[in-house]
Amino acid sequence: MKKPTRTTRSSSAAPTPEAHHQAFSWLPSHHQHDQHAQFYAMTVDICQGVKICIDLAQVSNADRGTDTLPMLDINATERLLRLALISSQILAEMAEGRIDGLSNPTPE
């Protein structure tokens, strides 16, 4: 997946960015307004966020009871696990809504 680059034209060979911050999207420009593609991109973001939360919690839990100071305290670890849980529940609910929409299509 490639990050899109916005540039302005200049007389030099290298493009110059319009600003330091560039909007990011997993989607190619021709899919930016496609609802299905937007759901896929959101799914990637949520799943990667859940993975990071669980990875951080796992590393912190593995360090407890050793000489290594855990990355996160117990409360922060529990909050990250709760965030992962809620995020996956929200994604599942959104997918269920889309599945329900398959059997009850709305007119466009």
Side-chain angles (χ1 to χ4, degrees):
M1 292 183 239
K2 192 167 113 178
K3 182 179 176 185
T5 305
R6 281 187 168 178
T7 58
T8 56
R9 295 199 173 171
S10 67
S11 58
S12 66
T16 305
E18 291 178 9
H20 287 289
H21 173 75
Q22 298 295 314
F24 174 82
S25 175
W26 294 115
L27 304 174
S29 59
H30 59 280
H31 288 292
Q32 292 290 319
H33 301 290
D34 179 306
Q35 285 184 334
H36 299 293
Q38 290 174 354
F39 181 73
Y40 304 148
M42 182 188 61
T43 300
V44 169
D45 288 339
I46 291 172
C47 290
Q48 288 181 345
V50 166
K51 179 193 177 302
I52 289 169
C53 289
I54 294 171
D55 283 346
L56 290 171
Q58 190 277 325
V59 167
S60 294
N61 284 336
D63 288 341
R64 292 190 213 300
T66 69
D67 292 339
T68 304
L69 183 64
M71 184 178 305
L72 302 169
D73 64 23
I74 292 173
N75 288 333
T77 301
E78 292 300 318
R79 286 193 299 269
L80 277 181
L81 289 174
R82 182 79 178 146
L83 176 61
L85 172 69
I86 297 300
S87 297
S88 62
Q89 285 177 334
I90 289 170
L91 181 59
E93 290 169 5
M94 294 178 76
E96 287 171 354
R98 288 177 174 268
I99 290 169
D100 290 344
L102 295 174
S103 59
N104 302 316
T106 58
E108 292 184 23

